[in-house]
């Protein structure tokens, strides 16, 4: 069953007289129990997609087009009061910086209790009891509910915010860089915890990260974003073993393998385009080593090349991307 369906989503930011085309025509879906990984360089629009789903864009942000369906409910046209009702109850988010996700002057337990009281209508006693159970489920002692955020290590804060995200039994969890700034041992424990909780609750998970090793390990399907658009999408094996888009190949080639043959790492010269005036044609053509004249004038069609493997490249399937 599809929990999330996004069709042709476009999200813009208004900067005075300029428009930032942060997300441009993105489409994908996620089923119950599936992890969909969203990867790409910083500033490619990954977090804007998440904020669009959560309906927590800043004041200068707006969803300019497309549809977002969550558990059969359309979100784009919801009034703010209605959007509040779906946050935490149908969709929750593990934010990138856990320290910033909690109020530093309130005990963590009180903040989780507040969510349960507001969203579930629990009494304070019932909310405290459920919060204790959540803490134990994510590997924290219930007594730590009385602690403040600064009294937790980075890994403990991450566990706490995962517990908060599960408080109202959502259908979809968005994990935005859930292991950023954690050491590799703690990263592994957090990812194992997410796997365990996903299996237990049959969660749909949108995993946002620039770390391709995390994407490869955790995702069932992967979307590769560049300059606000999806360049390629497919199952994790197809993306890593049979990339169709030059950007995907370069992105994967820039990440060292600890088990494969030692090769020179790839790099991409230049920088992503200015999204207030995106380039004509393929957005990647200015940095693409395979670009031809048509790439700078005509935008490639985003199409299916093999079962559930999509790409937006004029020459997908024709290029030797190992060069």
């Amino acid at each position: 069953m599809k929990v999330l369906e996004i069709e042709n989503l476009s999200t813009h930011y208004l900067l005075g007289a300029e428009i930032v085309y942060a997300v441009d025509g993105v489409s994908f879906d996620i089923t119950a129990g599936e992890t969909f990984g969203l990867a790409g360089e910083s500033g490619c629009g990954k977090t804007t997609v998440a904020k669009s789903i959560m309906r927590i864009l800043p004041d200068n942000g707006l969803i300019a087009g497309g549809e977002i369906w969550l558990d059969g409910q359309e979100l784009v046209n919801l009034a703010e009061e209605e959007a509040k009702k779906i946050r935490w109850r149908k969709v929750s988010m593990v934010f990138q910086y856990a320290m910033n996700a909690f109020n530093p002057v309130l005990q963590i337990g009180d903040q989780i209790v507040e969510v349960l009281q507001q969203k579930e209508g629990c009494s304070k006693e019932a909310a405290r009891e459920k919060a204790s159970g959540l803490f134990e489920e994510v590997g924290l002692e219930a007594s730590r509910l009385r602690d403040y955020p600064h009294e937790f290590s980075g890994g403990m804060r991450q566990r706490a915010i995962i517990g908060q995200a599960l408080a109202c039994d959502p259908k979809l969890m968005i994990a935005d860089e859930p292991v950023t700034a954690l050491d590799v041992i703690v990263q592994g424990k957090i990812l194992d915890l997410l796997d365990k909780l996903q299996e237990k609750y049959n969660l749909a998970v949108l995993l946002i990260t620039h770390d391709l090793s995390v994407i490869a390990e955790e995702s069932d399907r992967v979307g590769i974003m560049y300059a606000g658009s999806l360049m390629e999408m497919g199952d994790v094996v197809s993306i890593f073993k049979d990339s169709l888009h030059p950007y995907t190949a370069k992105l994967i080639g820039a990440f060292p393998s600890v088990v494969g043959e030692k090769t020179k790492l790839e790099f991409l010269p230049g920088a992503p385009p200015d999204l207030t005036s995106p380039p004509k044609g393929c957005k990647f053509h200015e940095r693409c080593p395979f670009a031809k004249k048509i790439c700078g004038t005509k935008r490639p069609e985003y199409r299916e090349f093999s079962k559930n493997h999509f790409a937006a490249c004029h020459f997908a399937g024709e290029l030797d991307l190992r060069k």
Side-chain angles (χ1 to χ4, degrees):
M1 183 185 76
K2 292 181 181 179
V3 174
L4 177 72
E5 295 178 78
I6 294 178
E7 283 291 334
N8 204 29
L9 176 67
S10 294
T11 301
H12 301 164
Y13 295 111
L14 305 179
L15 296 179
E18 293 185 318
I19 299 174
V20 179
Y21 300 92
V23 175
D24 183 15
V26 167
S27 300
F28 63 87
D29 56 61
I30 310 176
T31 59
E34 180 186 30
T35 297
F36 184 88
L38 201 56
E41 292 172 280
S42 296
C44 71
K46 304 185 299 293
T47 297
T48 297
V49 169
K51 289 182 176 180
S52 299
I53 298 167
M54 289 287 290
R55 289 287 306 275
I56 55 171
L57 291 166
D59 291 341
N60 68 329
L62 75 154
I63 297 175
E67 297 179 346
I68 302 172
W69 291 86
L70 176 64
D71 195 28
Q73 184 175 14
E74 208 284 317
L75 304 185
V76 171
N77 297 312
L78 279 185
E80 177 56 23
E81 285 303 312
E82 291 300 311
K84 285 180 181 178
K85 294 177 183 178
I86 63 102
R87 291 185 203 120
W88 303 110
R89 298 186 69 186
K90 286 191 175 184
V91 55
S92 62
M93 188 165 177
V94 176
F95 291 91
Q96 183 169 355
Y97 300 106
M99 189 64 184
N100 298 337
F102 289 112
N103 188 322
V105 299
L106 296 177
Q107 293 177 359
I108 285 182
D110 288 342
Q111 297 180 60
I112 297 175
V113 165
E114 182 182 12
V115 169
L116 288 164
Q117 287 183 294
Q118 288 187 0
K119 300 295 182 179
E120 299 289 294
C122 300
S123 66
K124 189 171 184 178
E125 293 74 19
R128 176 67 65 169
E129 184 177 348
K130 184 168 184 179
S132 297
L134 288 166
F135 254 41
E136 291 173 358
E137 192 158 26
V138 298
L140 296 172
E141 294 179 5
S143 61
R144 301 302 300 267
L145 286 166
R146 303 186 189 91
D147 290 348
Y148 292 87
H150 71 270
E151 296 179 283
F152 278 24
S153 68
M156 292 170 68
R157 281 195 295 270
Q158 207 66 24
R159 288 175 182 270
I161 197 169
I162 291 170
Q164 185 183 51
L166 290 172
C168 300
D169 304 313
K171 300 280 188 179
L172 170 69
M173 178 189 288
I174 300 171
D176 187 4
E177 301 283 6
V179 292
T180 294
L182 301 178
D183 67 72
V184 291
I185 302 298
V186 177
Q187 282 185 19
K189 291 180 179 179
I190 294 298
L191 293 173
D192 286 345
L193 173 63
L194 285 172
D195 289 343
K196 171 187 169 186
L197 295 171
Q198 181 181 28
E199 183 176 357
K200 180 176 180 178
Y201 294 105
N202 199 29
L203 279 170
V205 174
L206 174 57
L207 175 63
I208 297 172
T209 180
H210 62 270
D211 190 332
L212 293 179
S213 64
V214 173
I215 289 284
E217 181 71 22
E218 297 295 313
S219 301
D220 299 299
R221 289 187 299 132
V222 183
I224 303 294
M225 286 190 71
Y226 180 78
S229 299
L230 274 176
M231 298 288 104
E232 188 169 354
M233 181 175 70
D235 67 80
V236 68
V237 174
S238 296
I239 293 295
F240 279 84
K241 298 294 186 182
D242 190 23
S243 304
L244 293 173
H245 200 286
Y247 178 65
T248 304
K250 290 292 184 182
L251 204 63
I252 293 170
F255 204 86
S257 171
V258 296
V259 294
E261 179 184 350
K262 290 182 174 62
T263 59
K264 185 177 180 180
L265 296 182
E266 301 279 357
F267 80 100
L268 281 171
D274 179 0
L275 293 184
T276 61
S277 55
K280 294 179 181 179
C282 175
K283 292 181 178 179
F284 184 60
H285 81 269
E286 295 172 341
R287 304 172 71 191
C288 181
F290 302 98
K292 298 181 182 179
K293 186 176 180 180
I294 190 175
C295 301
T297 58
K298 183 180 178 182
R299 186 168 182 173
E301 180 186 356
Y302 181 74
R303 55 197 174 101
E304 188 174 20
F305 286 83
S306 59
K307 187 176 180 181
N308 297 321
H309 193 170
F310 299 80
C313 176
H314 292 296
F315 305 103
E318 303 175 16
L319 304 171
D320 184 359
L321 299 179
R322 293 169 295 179
K323 290 182 179 179

